[in-house]
Amino acid sequence: MNWTYLILILLATLAGGVIPMTIRRINANFTIYLLAFTGAFLFGVTIMHLLPEVYHELGHSAGIYIVLGFFLQVFLQQLSHGMEHGHTHLPGENHHHIAVTPLLLGLSIHAFMEGIPLGFKYEDQSALPSLMMGVAAHKVPEALTLITVMIHAHKSKTQLWQILTAFAVVTPAAAILAWWMGNRFDIVSHYLLYVVALVIGAFLHISTTIFYESGTKHHELSSKKVLAIATGLVLAFLTLIFE
């Protein structure tokens, strides 16, 4: 377990949440392009590092769990209202009456799922550091969106810090738990691979949704958003140098 990476993820989450607390007006394009960049980076890391790993170990059955993970994320976003991929609006609800509990529950489950693959031992030595960077990058816009919505819900500064801190520790805690259980019990180490496949499906859902929905009208891709996506993919390709 690389504790430096976990600290990086924790700090990235806190940093993302602090942005809307300190900057009154955030340019909408900043969030759009940040989401596009981090989504593309996570997508590239998932395709180039995680997919080969699970197919090598699980064979064609890996596809079943990836599809299940994809639709598990579809269910989770009914609770989180798509906040994982940048949606800040809650259809049919007033920001003054946000159902905070299901929102945080959906996001926390997603954050916990993100952490589990970080505690897994990969044959590909470049998989873990690449995934750590991908998750850390994704945490910035994720936390930014969460706190933005909580601010619109008129949460106090103390409540904002409580929500942000609790959310920030979920993913590192899941990574530590998976690492500890995997080292202690061989059967857990085996079944963690199936969980990794589920998370791959969730990552694919989130990243592709970011590409075609978040911050766009009628699903168009602006030249700047394409550039942000391309930059994220190039950075993901560069992670191959870790091999």
Side-chain angles (χ1 to χ4, degrees):
M1 173 60 66
N2 191 313
W3 301 98
T4 302
Y5 286 132
L6 295 185
I7 293 172
L8 175 63
I9 290 173
L10 178 68
L11 293 177
T13 309
L14 293 174
V18 166
I19 293 172
M21 281 196 264
T22 55
I23 302 175
R24 286 176 176 256
R25 292 186 180 181
I26 300 174
N27 190 311
N29 288 333
F30 170 77
T31 305
I32 293 170
Y33 301 142
L34 179 62
L35 274 165
F37 168 75
T38 59
F41 182 45
L42 188 60
F43 176 82
V45 168
T46 300
I47 295 296
M48 288 183 281
H49 295 285
L50 300 190
L51 266 180
E53 184 85 22
V54 297
Y55 270 103
H56 175 72
E57 296 296 330
L58 299 179
H60 293 296
S61 64
I64 297 173
Y65 294 94
I66 291 170
V67 172
L68 288 175
F70 186 96
F71 286 100
L72 174 60
Q73 182 57 41
V74 172
F75 168 74
L76 287 177
Q77 78 172 24
Q78 302 308 306
L79 296 174
S80 65
H81 300 278
M83 204 167 291
E84 306 92 328
H85 45 74
H87 285 186
T88 56
H89 62 280
L90 301 180
E93 291 186 358
N94 186 299
H95 279 306
H96 295 270
H97 300 91
I98 293 174
V100 174
T101 301
L103 180 87
L104 291 178
L105 176 62
L107 273 180
S108 296
I109 294 173
H110 166 70
F112 190 85
M113 288 174 59
E114 284 182 320
I116 291 176
L118 301 177
F120 182 74
K121 293 180 179 179
Y122 297 91
E123 293 293 329
D124 175 7
Q125 297 301 311
S126 65
L128 187 57
S130 302
L131 179 60
M132 289 278 190
M133 289 190 296
V135 171
H138 177 59
K139 283 296 179 184
V140 177
E142 195 174 57
L144 188 156
T145 305
L146 170 62
I147 297 303
T148 297
V149 171
M150 292 298 108
I151 290 173
H152 281 292
H154 297 289
K155 298 299 179 185
S156 68
K157 203 65 173 278
T158 299
Q159 289 174 315
L160 291 176
W161 274 109
Q162 289 173 342
I163 291 170
L164 178 59
T165 303
F167 179 66
V169 301
V170 173
T171 297
I176 293 170
L177 178 63
W179 170 75
W180 182 79
M181 293 288 288
N183 283 331
R184 190 174 181 85
F185 305 104
D186 289 338
I187 190 170
V188 173
S189 179
H190 172 72
Y191 282 107
L192 276 177
L193 193 59
Y194 293 91
V195 179
V196 172
L198 288 173
V199 176
I200 287 173
F203 283 166
L204 292 177
H205 180 278
I206 292 168
S207 57
T208 52
T209 301
I210 288 172
F211 293 165
Y212 299 111
E213 285 190 10
S214 298
T216 63
K217 296 178 181 178
H218 309 297
H219 307 291
E220 81 274 11
L221 287 170
S222 67
S223 58
K224 290 182 179 178
K225 188 173 181 181
V226 169
L227 179 61
I229 291 172
T231 303
L233 289 175
V234 168
L235 184 60
F237 274 111
L238 290 177
T239 63
L240 293 174
I241 66 176
F242 292 136
E243 292 184 350

